[in-house]
Amino acid sequence: MVEVFDVAVPSLTGKEKRKAYVYLPVGYGEGETRYPVMYMFDGHNLFFDEDATFGKSWGLADYLDEEKIPIIIAAAECNHNGNARLSEYSPFDFTFKGEKIKGRGKKYMDWLVKDFKPYIDENYKTLSAREHTAIGGSSMGGLMTVYALLKYGKYFSRGAALSPSLWLNGGDSVKKLLTESRLRKNTYIYMDYGSREFANHFSQQAAFGGAVSALIEKGAIATARVVDGGTHSEASWQRQIPYFMDALFGFNIRT
């Protein structure tokens, strides 16, 4: 079951509303069972094709229902105004196709941990502690996942970064983030990149390998994959759901 309601991010868009999606697992509400939570980016792309930007979602609820995965997913949709998504999902200022983008990722994450997460913990049967709390996303959401684990590790012990956008500012900003940040103990991270994506962005091979190595050196319990034939698309990310669920929580991969 997926509940949908409106939220606002006052520090970014004032009273403007956007949708939030909360997936509740099979059997939720029966008894006093509490569940781990995974916060995700681009909530509109996760569950329903009719809400997805390009008409294809991850089909996440269908998979979790079928496999009876005991987890709550909480995800707000992105800001769809112009390049506002790039701004909200970036910790750094950067230039994109000649336009200067102001990185407002810190403001978004502050809202997520100070407003959205407390709301979810208050209104749903969650296991709210760090060890039961994950974060995840793709593309810019994948970048934000890496940022969240490094800068908001007080709240998140696990993260899935699918096709993370490590290219900002030629990769220098991500390298600096990885060099200067501390990673908390017992941090699990899943990272992947599609082989067909590498074919289009050769520099990402080194950036991806370097980021994974840096995280391992900092003590991350890391799972890294190059997805054979993987592309930068919801359909490709959908196929990786079993792998990151297994890597982060030990939920069995479908056989």
Side-chain angles (χ1 to χ4, degrees):
M1 177 176 66
V2 179
E3 295 187 350
V4 185
F5 53 90
D6 288 337
V7 295
V9 187
S11 62
L12 291 169
T13 50
K15 296 182 180 180
E16 182 179 332
K17 301 295 184 180
R18 64 182 78 184
K19 291 180 180 178
Y21 301 78
V22 177
Y23 167 81
L24 302 175
V26 174
Y28 180 86
E30 300 174 4
E32 298 303 316
T33 301
R34 291 187 170 271
Y35 300 87
V37 183
M38 188 168 188
Y39 294 88
M40 298 187 72
F41 300 94
D42 293 310
H44 57 291
N45 286 334
L46 298 179
F47 304 109
F48 307 117
D49 290 350
E50 57 268 29
D51 289 352
T53 301
F54 300 107
K56 173 69 181 80
S57 73
W58 293 30
L60 184 55
D62 294 337
Y63 173 82
L64 298 175
D65 280 352
E66 185 174 342
E67 298 300 312
K68 294 182 172 57
I69 303 296
I71 191 171
I72 292 172
I73 306 291
E77 70 177 315
C78 75
N79 187 333
H80 299 283
N81 297 315
N83 282 328
R85 175 181 178 273
L86 298 180
S87 176
E88 291 188 3
Y89 286 1
S90 175
F92 327 109
D93 297 343
F94 68 103
T95 300
F96 177 72
K97 295 182 178 180
E99 180 180 345
K100 292 184 178 179
I101 306 294
K102 177 69 175 177
R104 295 183 170 88
K106 183 180 186 303
K107 286 188 176 183
Y108 185 87
M109 285 304 305
D110 285 346
W111 168 79
L112 194 154
V113 300
K114 295 177 181 178
D115 293 296
F116 192 47
K117 184 180 186 300
Y119 176 86
I120 298 298
D121 289 333
E122 182 177 347
N123 288 278
Y124 297 93
K125 295 180 178 180
T126 69
L127 294 169
S128 60
R130 174 185 185 268
E131 58 264 36
H132 304 295
T133 307
I135 191 163
S138 60
S139 191
M140 293 296 289
L143 170 65
M144 286 290 283
T145 294
V146 175
Y147 172 66
L149 291 179
L150 290 166
K151 294 297 186 181
Y152 293 80
K154 174 182 177 181
Y155 303 94
F156 307 102
S157 64
R158 302 155 201 276
L162 286 68
S163 305
S165 298
L166 306 174
W167 50 266
L168 274 66
N169 298 321
D172 291 340
S173 293
V174 174
K175 289 179 182 177
K176 184 178 180 182
L177 172 68
L178 289 164
T179 299
E180 296 181 353
S181 302
R182 182 177 69 89
L183 191 71
R184 289 187 175 234
K185 291 182 179 179
N186 300 316
T187 296
Y188 295 74
I189 186 165
Y190 168 95
M191 293 180 67
D192 71 20
Y193 216 83
S195 64
R196 290 174 62 184
E197 294 182 89
F198 282 144
N200 296 325
H201 303 96
F202 292 107
S203 63
Q204 284 292 84
Q205 289 179 309
F208 181 78
V212 171
S213 295
L215 288 164
I216 291 173
E217 289 175 6
K218 288 180 177 293
I221 303 166
T223 299
R225 299 174 59 239
V226 175
V227 178
D228 187 17
T231 61
H232 204 81
S233 68
E234 272 67 38
S236 184
W237 296 323
Q238 178 180 13
R239 291 191 291 273
Q240 313 322 312
I241 296 170
Y243 295 95
F244 70 73
M245 283 292 169
D246 181 69
L248 300 186
F249 290 100
F251 299 138
N252 292 332
I253 292 177
R254 180 186 298 175
T255 58

